Amino acid sequence: MTASADIQAGRLRPDDYVENFNDVHPPLDRKRALIESARCYYCYDAPCVEACPTGIDIPSFIRKISTDNVKGSAVDILTENIMGGACARVCPTEILCEGSCVRNTQEEKPVNIGELQRYATDHLFDSGQQVFERAASSGKKVAVVGAGPAGLSAAHRLSLLGHDAVVFEARDKAAGLNEYGIAAYKVPNDFAQREVEFILSLGGIELRCGQAIGKDFSLTELRRDYDAVFLSMGMAGVNALGLENEDLEGVVDAVDYIAQLRQSGDLAQLPVGRKVVVIGGGNTAIDIAVQTKRLGAEDVTLVYRRGKDNMNATWHEQEFAQLNGVKIKHWAQPTKLMGQDGQVKEIEFEYTQLDDNGRLMGTGDHFSLLVDQVFKAIGQSFVPAPLMNGAADVLELSSGRIAVDEDRKTSLSDVWAGGDCVTGDDLTVAAVQDGKVAAGAIDRHLRG
Amino acid sequence: MADLRCNIAGVQSPNPYWLASAPPTDKEYNVVRAFKAGWGGVVWKTLGEDPPIVNVSSRYGAVNYNGTRMAGFNNIELITDRPLDVNLREIKQVKRDWPDRAMVVSLMVPCEEESWKRILPLVEDTGADAVELNFGCPHGMSERGMGSAVGQVPEYIEMVTRWCKKYTRMPVFVKLTPNITNILHPARAANTGGADAVSLINTINSIVTVDLDAMAPTPIVGGKGAHGGYCGPAVKPIALNMVAEIARDPECQGLPISGIGGVSTWRDAAEFISLGSGSVQVCTAAMHYGFKIIDDLTDGLSNWMDSKGHQSLEDFRGAAVPNVVNWNQLDMNYECIAEINQDLCIKCGLCHVACEDTSHQAIFAKRVDGERRYEVNDPECVGCNLCMLACPVEDCITMREVDNGKPYMNWLQDPRNPANIKAAE
């Protein structure tokens, strides 16, 4: 880092860090939970259930909250979604359960399903009770690669069904993006690890961290040593802008920075630019923009090459970023990175529009922003190479990710896959469902 | 602007709203606050003979329903626990200060002629407008041979009413207990005894909740509970029925009624009056929200009367009574079926599941282009109203009358009536 760059740690007072990275939504207390639960109509064939990728019986769990049967409520949630606690915090409920709540039609104010789900699951976690019981041992052993939501969900369900699961995790900690990727204020107080502990407390799940496929072991070995394999290693690749000077100091991958932030013991030690530009339109872009602002960046501008309706980040997330003082500019794409002494100083954009065929094109007009840090948040990609090491059989891909059928079964007869490494919605809740479905299919396969 | 003035058995008040005999009317301080707020009258909390009774600590219980506090309410409080002369002095003062308001004094003394003969002149001396005989209180006093212990025996009601008519020139209101099988028996007894009016209903024997930790009914007094008197919005339907039964009873024709039971809004009051009530008495709503509710009670009633063209309470008093009939007078040929306004439907499906699980399988749950759509299966609909009642959206489901061209035919005329089949044979 050069002296000319304004990238500094400790921009805020110590208390500000605590406040800025604390729970973005304080949890409901019993009184509020009772009021909110009373708003649920207990719909028949409820649209919210259909909108939930894991199919939680939402009216039932809410009714149980309203009768103070909070444990029963939590069991209903966790039976369908073992990471119901994380999903209550990170799900884009505005486009899932809450987005389909019939109260939207009536009064444009859905039942706050996410917060109620958190109320129930927190209650159970706080009580420290184990509510699940494993089936009799099948004597079968399944390897799970990646301890993110998909992998943990699969492992938990496999264990419930009586199989032993060994989970290999390349990083030092389990929980995947809940530990390394989600914005800190959504899962404060080490929630991701508390949830992992809860999942592991069932028994029958062995977690081996620091074990990367293609490096410490191979898929071939797993297929040889285990009765079945579930792949859920997420996306290891980060998309590049494809511009010259992308290696300038201050041009940073957002996912790496967020992982660093999440693992930082002291946010006051984390340097952040005074002037920040974020490029991208997804949740990662929102998360990095808001977090850098909350770390004390003075100006944070998120630039996206299309309009607001095209952004992967929901309207709710966009509004949240704007509330946090992030400026969102639509219809512009980066064209040039300019530096001084190896440090990025300025970024040039070209305005964009759609041509007559609906394709994105530059307008020829440009603008530039002075910048201390540029965060790239333009998507991640699946890296298949580690799976292929020494493999005789070919694992088929589809759109650059592992191809799976409805059971999340891959082209290999004893290998299933789920989460971000397969095509589908890149959501925690979808990953949990993948793991659940695959575990069911693996169970049928093993007992077949 | 409608005229809300009320005259029942000669007792006049600027509006029909009286505070019922209960804690809100126990002393001058409360009653003056009520009159300042605009209440039309009070029934002073029941006086008894000295020495005053003693109340327990922890006195009220409630039924909270789906977030609504005090949907039902009960109490184990007894009559006034203050000396008789203190109450009489305050009654006299308040009546003097507020001459236009109805001042009715509730009484409960032992079922002996001497007791009534002794207390009535004392009350008359206060200038009170009337007395109300508390034959209804279901707890505590009944175990001492008073309250509902009298109210449950029509002969006693008649006898005590006669004594009261004999020893006072004040109008005598007899307050009836609902803890009987047929309200007409005590009502007729009061009428026969010469009552100027009846007041009903008093509270209903009840246990509102059981505390599952203490394993005792609430309100709990030192680990134990006793049955209490139930009131509040939950009892209104029971009260309306009893009022209507008396209003349409040939033997009780002309007997004024002071309606009581869960009156919380002007609409409740209008319903009681439409079933023949003169004044209406309020307690739980005031105990829940304070005396200020009188503002909407009067204003709302007045606005509604204006909208209907009613100039005085007499214009609609008892207007619904002729339409309260015995079941066998209902038109067997009347038909209605449910109609769902698809523009208002929010797709909750409650109409479907209610009908499918518990009624007549007359609402289809369809998917049209993936969208939920609930439709009435007309031939199967019996017009039971359940879907309309379950629907959370006002006016989304309505009941449409089917014009089948058939004439009025009640059950007594119906050829399907076994009595008619037999007669035809």
Side-chain angles (χ1 to χ4, degrees), chain A residues 9 26 79 155 260 272 295 311 418 428 435:
Chain A
T79 299
Q260 204 184 336
V272 67
L295 279 173
M311 287 177 77
T428 305

Side-chain angles (χ1 to χ4, degrees), chain A residues 70-390:
Chain A
V70 189
K71 178 184 172 185
S73 176
V75 171
D76 279 4
I77 294 162
L78 297 173
T79 299
E80 292 301 338
N81 181 342
I82 192 60
M83 304 194 85
C87 289
R89 292 164 166 80
V90 307
C91 261
T93 52
E94 62 275 15
I95 57 167
L96 297 173
C97 52
E98 292 177 18
S100 67
C101 177
V102 301
R103 286 225 181 230
N104 287 305
T105 315
Q106 194 176 23
E107 59 187 277
E108 295 180 345
K109 188 173 181 294
V111 174
N112 196 337
I113 299 168
E115 295 289 332
L116 287 170
Q117 180 165 315
R118 177 173 171 185
Y119 172 78
T121 50
D122 278 3
H123 181 271
L124 185 70
F125 281 16
D126 292 346
S127 78
Q129 294 178 78
Q130 176 54 259
V131 290
F132 294 106
E133 198 177 332
R134 298 186 68 196
S137 174
S138 67
K140 306 283 188 187
K141 211 166 196 176
V142 181
V144 173
V145 183
L152 290 173
S153 164
H156 189 268
R157 184 54 60 110
L158 286 164
S159 170
L160 268 185
L161 293 167
H163 315 297
D164 287 335
V166 178
V167 185
F168 299 90
E169 170 56 48
R171 302 225 203 202
D172 294 337
K173 292 185 193 170
L177 293 178
N178 289 349
E179 176 61 41
Y180 292 97
I182 300 290
Y185 43 74
K186 290 183 184 169
V187 280
N189 305 319
D190 212 20
F191 177 77
Q193 293 311 307
R194 285 171 51 215
E195 190 168 53
V196 170
E197 280 165 30
F198 172 77
I199 291 169
L200 297 183
S201 70
L202 176 67
I205 305 170
E206 185 192 337
L207 178 63
R208 296 185 191 166
C209 288
Q211 297 282 303
I213 194 165
K215 198 172 106 207
D216 301 302
F217 58 91
S218 70
L219 178 57
T220 308
E221 287 163 6
L222 292 183
R223 295 181 65 197
R224 183 192 67 209
D225 299 341
Y226 292 85
D227 296 299
V229 178
F230 180 69
L231 300 173
S232 53
M233 65 286 283
M235 295 189 285
V238 178
N239 294 342
L241 297 171
L243 298 178
E244 277 181 41
N245 294 334
E246 212 165 320
D247 57 351
L248 282 169
E249 283 285 338
V251 180
V252 186
D253 283 327
V255 288
D256 292 344
Y257 189 86
I258 293 173
Q260 204 184 336
L261 185 155
R262 287 295 307 276
Q263 299 307 309
S264 161
D266 180 6
L267 291 172
Q269 300 293 322
L270 191 65
V272 67
R274 179 184 289 273
K275 286 193 276 294
V276 168
V277 166
V278 174
I279 298 166
N283 286 327
T284 303
I286 298 289
D287 285 357
I288 189 69
V290 173
Q291 288 182 114
T292 51
K293 193 81 177 97
R294 288 187 171 205
L295 279 173
E298 190 176 311
D299 294 311
V300 179
T301 308
L302 187 157
V303 186
Y304 178 57
R305 59 190 177 142
R306 293 176 187 268
K308 67 175 181 184
D309 294 337
N310 305 104
M311 287 177 77
N312 270 333
T314 65
W315 58 266
H316 182 262
E317 290 285 319
Q318 294 178 46
E319 284 184 9
F320 176 70
Q322 287 165 329
L323 270 177
N324 276 272
V326 172
K327 182 176 179 184
I328 299 182
K329 281 182 84 75
H330 296 107
W331 300 109
Q333 61 192 10
T335 44
K336 201 186 284 179
L337 289 161
M338 291 156 280
Q340 189 186 337
D341 304 332
Q343 163 69 37
V344 69
K345 295 300 290 180
E346 194 173 346
I347 180 167
E348 183 197 75
F349 290 89
E350 181 181 19
Y351 289 106
T352 55
Q353 62 186 26
L354 297 179
D355 68 14
D356 294 342
N357 298 318
R359 280 183 310 229
L360 194 71
M361 56 173 279
T363 65
D365 294 329
H366 293 78
F367 68 92
S368 293
L369 296 173
L370 293 175
V371 68
D372 299 307
Q373 266 182 320
V374 173
F375 287 100
K376 297 181 285 182
I378 52 172
Q380 292 170 263
S381 58
F382 173 60
V383 182
L387 289 170
M388 307 307 179
N389 278 356

Side-chain angles (χ1 to χ4, degrees), chain B residues 147-165:
Chain B
S148 64
V150 177
Q152 287 168 335
V153 184
E155 293 77 9
Y156 289 175
I157 294 175
E158 185 183 333
M159 176 176 73
V160 177
T161 307
R162 279 192 201 287
W163 292 340
C164 292
K165 287 303 292 176

Side-chain angles (χ1 to χ4, degrees), chain B residues 32-351:
Chain B
V32 168
R33 281 178 69 87
F35 285 166
K36 281 181 180 165
W39 287 80
V42 296
V43 181
W44 200 278
K45 187 171 164 86
T46 308
L47 310 186
E49 292 185 332
D50 283 337
I53 58 85
V54 180
N55 274 306
V56 292
S57 180
S58 182
R59 301 177 189 180
Y60 307 136
V63 172
N64 299 327
Y65 187 73
N66 211 8
T68 300
R69 309 287 290 179
M70 287 168 61
F73 188 72
N74 89 345
N75 80 89
I76 54 170
E77 198 174 280
L78 305 183
I79 61 175
T80 183
D81 50 16
R82 305 188 315 148
L84 181 61
D85 68 318
V86 172
N87 277 307
L88 292 169
R89 201 165 58 233
E90 289 185 4
I91 291 167
K92 192 171 191 172
Q93 186 64 45
V94 175
K95 182 62 196 176
R96 187 175 295 159
D97 294 343
W98 299 85
D100 68 324
R101 310 303 169 93
M103 173 64 76
V104 180
V105 177
S106 176
L107 296 176
M108 184 193 291
V109 292
C111 203
E112 293 155 9
E113 188 167 356
E114 274 310 302
S115 294
W116 293 95
K117 184 180 176 183
R118 194 160 47 238
I119 200 166
L120 283 163
L122 301 176
V123 176
E124 204 169 287
D125 180 58
T126 64
D129 299 299
V131 289
E132 184 181 84
L133 314 187
N134 182 346
F135 292 160
C137 194
H139 50 267
M141 303 312 289
S142 54
E143 292 144 25
R144 306 176 194 186
M146 293 181 269
S148 64
V150 177
Q152 287 168 335
V153 184
E155 293 77 9
Y156 289 175
I157 294 175
E158 185 183 333
M159 176 176 73
V160 177
T161 307
R162 279 192 201 287
W163 292 340
C164 292
K165 287 303 292 176
K166 188 162 132 193
Y167 295 116
T168 181
R169 53 176 173 75
M170 292 181 289
V172 173
F173 285 58
V174 175
K175 188 164 179 178
L176 303 179
T177 175
N179 299 307
I180 39 84
T181 46
N182 185 345
I183 195 67
L184 291 179
H185 296 158
R188 288 169 183 168
N191 198 31
T192 309
D196 296 280
V198 286
S199 306
L200 72 157
I201 59 174
N202 206 312
T203 56
I204 303 172
N205 283 335
S206 60
I207 289 175
V208 282
T209 54
V210 173
D211 182 321
L212 292 175
D213 295 319
M215 273 299 160
T218 63
I220 300 174
V221 181
K224 310 274 185 205
H227 71 81
Y230 195 43
C231 56
V235 311
K236 190 187 91 174
I238 297 166
L240 285 178
N241 175 56
M242 291 186 166
V243 166
E245 286 299 296
I246 295 170
R248 69 193 189 92
D249 180 44
E251 291 186 34
C252 292
Q253 284 310 295
L255 179 64
I257 299 167
S258 184
I260 315 169
V263 175
S264 309
T265 68
W266 62 264
R267 191 180 296 276
D268 298 330
E271 291 177 26
F272 270 92
I273 295 167
S274 75
L275 286 175
S277 291
S279 60
V280 288
Q281 298 187 30
V282 178
C283 177
T284 306
M287 291 183 74
H288 195 170
Y289 300 111
F291 294 143
K292 196 179 159 205
I293 59 167
I294 188 60
D295 177 47
D296 184 55
L297 285 170
T298 50
D299 187 51
L301 183 61
S302 172
N303 286 333
W304 172 78
M305 286 170 65
D306 287 347
S307 75
K308 293 288 182 184
H310 300 315
Q311 286 167 359
S312 75
L313 299 176
E314 295 312 315
D315 288 0
F316 72 100
R317 187 190 315 288
V321 175
N323 294 326
V324 181
V325 297
N326 289 340
W327 189 92
N328 66 16
Q329 297 301 306
L330 299 175
D331 183 0
M332 305 305 292
N333 281 333
Y334 175 79
E335 273 182 64
C336 65
I337 57 172
E339 206 163 58
I340 301 173
N341 182 333
Q342 296 295 342
D343 293 334
L344 293 177
C345 177
I346 61 170
K347 323 292 184 200
C348 70
L350 290 176
C351 57

Side-chain angles (χ1 to χ4, degrees), chain A residues 41-45 50 102, chain B residues 346 348 350 352 367 372 392:
Chain A
Y41 283 136
Y42 198 65
C43 294
Y44 169 80
D45 186 21
E50 197 169 279
V102 301
Chain B
I346 61 170
C348 70
L350 290 176
H352 165 76
R367 290 280 177 129
R372 289 166 176 76

